Amino acid sequence: MAEEVASGTGGRSLRLRWVLCVFKEVRMSALLLMAQPGGAANQNPLTAFIPIVLIIVVFYFLLIRPQQKRAKAQKAMLDDLKAGDAVVTIGGLRGTVAAVDNDTVIIRVADNVKLTFNKSAVAGVVKSE
């Protein structure tokens, strides 16, 4: 030991042992903190699912339901298209509906200029002012 101290390596070895000892104690403390208390074994297992159910309910009302309402309104708008409606496409083209087919719509954008689009390309009906 006196030789290690004289050469200067004994201090490192002692510090290394101390660090490893502290690391073991911290690791054991973390494991004890993560352990469930003794009364947790008596809880109903269904209570673990309550947070998951609440998250699903929140997602339904904040994300899924509004999207379904928008899709329903878009479908109703496309079904109600008729000749003479002023529309805007998803590309930003504005025009007047000249004719409507099952899945296509012919839009007049200028005199003698008619373009054929899928109905799904119509973003909305422009309200006349």
Side-chain angles (χ1 to χ4, degrees):
M1 184 80 167
E3 295 167 2
E4 291 178 8
V5 172
S7 66
T9 60
R12 286 188 206 155
S13 174
L14 187 61
R15 275 187 257 147
L16 181 61
R17 280 190 224 149
W18 182 80
V19 167
L20 289 175
C21 183
V22 169
F23 178 71
K24 286 180 185 177
E25 287 181 30
V26 168
R27 192 171 52 178
M28 289 298 288
S29 298
L31 288 174
L32 289 174
L33 288 175
M34 288 190 298
Q36 291 184 355
N42 297 333
Q43 286 184 347
N44 187 355
L46 293 178
T47 58
F49 293 111
I50 290 175
I52 295 171
V53 170
L54 288 175
I55 290 171
I56 290 171
V57 168
V58 167
F59 268 90
Y60 176 76
F61 282 107
L62 291 180
L63 297 174
I64 298 170
R65 190 167 178 235
Q67 178 62 32
Q68 287 176 342
K69 288 175 103 177
R70 279 192 295 271
K72 188 176 180 181
Q74 178 75 9
K75 185 177 180 332
M77 184 269 306
L78 292 177
D79 290 340
D80 292 341
L81 276 180
K82 59 186 178 295
D85 287 344
V87 295
V88 62
T89 65
I90 57 175
L93 183 74
R94 293 177 179 266
T96 306
V97 175
V100 178
D101 198 10
N102 288 338
D103 58 345
T104 61
V105 62
I106 299 173
I107 300 175
R108 182 179 5 194
V109 293
D111 294 336
N112 298 327
V113 179
K114 294 180 181 177
L115 302 172
T116 304
F117 287 94
N118 287 337
K119 271 188 173 181
S120 61
V122 177
V125 177
V126 178
K127 296 178 181 170
S128 59
E129 297 175 18

